[in-house]
């Protein structure tokens, strides 16, 4: 019975160790994910700002020419 208790204690300690190691790896990635999300949001905001100033809209009553054949 003593051998069984030792094996159970070692198994629980091993599982806890693996869970803590996995949690540490996951939490180490959080700052990089947040930094990437911030950069993506800034790029999107920059695109939206330049997109509205770069493409002038034509008035609704002005006809548009069809694209020329290549």
């Amino acid at each position: 019975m003593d051998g069984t208790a030792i094996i159970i204690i070692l198994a629980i300690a091993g599982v806890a160790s693996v869970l803590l190691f996995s949690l540490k790896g996951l939490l180490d990635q959080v700052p990089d994910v947040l930094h990437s999300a911030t950069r993506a949001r800034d790029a999107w905001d920059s695109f939206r700002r330049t997109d509205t100033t770069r493409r002038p809209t034509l008035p609704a009553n002005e006809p548009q020419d069809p694209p020329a054949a290549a």
Side-chain angles (χ1 to χ4, degrees):
M1 195 67 172
D2 289 334
T4 304
I6 292 173
I7 290 177
I8 290 173
I9 291 170
L10 288 174
I12 291 171
V15 168
S17 174
V18 168
L19 287 175
L20 287 174
F21 184 75
S22 298
L23 182 63
K24 181 189 179 301
L26 181 67
L27 291 176
D28 284 344
Q29 294 177 4
V30 169
D32 292 334
V33 169
L34 293 176
H35 181 67
S36 296
T38 302
R39 285 187 10 209
R41 187 189 64 219
D42 290 345
W44 178 254
D45 290 342
S46 174
F47 171 75
R48 295 291 290 181
R49 248 182 284 134
T50 58
D51 188 36
T52 57
T53 59
R54 189 174 31 177
R55 293 185 191 170
T57 56
L58 295 176
N61 58 0
E62 186 175 321
Q64 295 180 1
D65 294 333

